[in-house]
Amino acid sequence: MTLVELRVEYQSVRIGPRIWALVLEMTGVVARRYPPCVYNDGEPWSDESVQDLAQQVVADRLLGEAQLEYVFDQAASLEAWRRLLALQVRRTLAHRRRKTVVDRLLTRVRRLAQEPPFRLHSAGRQVWFSGGDFSGPLADLSDSAISRIAGAVRDIPQLAASSSSSRASMIYTTVDLRLLLERAVSEVGALSERDLARVLEILLTSWLPTFLQDPEGDYPSEESTPEAAAEDAQMRAAVERFARGLSEPERWILLSKSQGIADRDIGARLGRSRPWVAKRKRDVLERLATELMSQFDADCHVPAMENLLARISHSLGKSAER
């Protein structure tokens, strides 16, 4: 099969048997690298579930977002076409994980809202969250109000996780999730669980850098070589050693700066001044470059950073929950 043959089929019927066969193949190759408990509702990856995911890739990405046209516009070879297609599969999987994470966060918020200073309301089948002194009407929020809430809580850092993790990440510590809910209800008085889910979807759009990786790194090999496995183990060991040497403030600084949070907001979290944060940031970034990244080729920097963020997020989450 050639790229020319695929173009002819696309121009004739958009998605014919050749394109569908490749979509199905790449969906299976990519999906089976992801834990089904997070990405497939807990069901093992079967031929049927892979086909369901492939249909979702077609409906949501290739046709729904016109990504098939983009793939053909950008691909100069069959290999490049397959890589770009793999990226669309990963984007679909990322959306599945994000939905799982939002569901878990809403469950935690419902528990938090049962205690002061919050109140939990029920209106029909919908749940609402408010402050304890709220007495106004319960109403759906406008798009601008949703965006305003998202902006008000964007400086709360999110805990990162590896895509290979067998559990959906907690994303926010309990303290930070309570702070998020406090700010949300202070902005609008009360908001429904459905509207809070919309806020969380906005906040999690750029969550997990794994899914934003360059498409050139997105094409998975059928199996790892012993050499690649050894290099991966060496990278993970180096990351673990570096992470152990970081203080808790340095971990918060690295995590927060990876999400574009301002030095001022990091300082408020740590009880320090902005210049103090700026100096520690320079120091830890210099150490990151000289003590960790200098050990690897450039193509290992993204996975090394993702692994580091996942490790420090895990330690910060455990520390905050004690």
Side-chain angles (χ1 to χ4, degrees), residues 109-185:
V109 168
R110 283 195 294 272
R111 290 199 294 266
L112 290 174
Q114 294 174 16
E115 300 178 2
F118 307 112
R119 285 177 60 194
L120 200 59
H121 309 260
S122 295
R125 301 176 64 180
Q126 187 60 266
V127 175
W128 297 72
F129 311 111
S130 76
D133 57 353
F134 177 77
S135 59
L138 300 174
D140 292 331
L141 300 179
S142 65
D143 291 344
S144 61
I146 295 292
S147 297
R148 189 169 76 249
I149 294 171
V153 301
R154 198 175 291 279
D155 65 305
I156 301 176
Q158 300 169 5
L159 302 178
S162 167
S163 65
S164 60
S165 172
S166 60
R167 294 183 58 195
S169 172
M170 67 187 300
I171 300 298
Y172 294 105
T173 66
T174 299
V175 170
D176 283 341
L177 190 59
R178 184 179 291 111
L179 176 61
L180 187 152
L181 184 58
E182 286 176 357
R183 290 189 188 175
V185 298

Side-chain angles (χ1 to χ4, degrees), residues 70-86:
Y70 168 80
V71 169
F72 276 108
D73 285 346
Q74 297 297 314
S77 66
L78 182 58
E79 182 182 6
W81 192 93
R82 289 165 64 95
R83 284 175 173 159
L84 289 168
L85 179 60

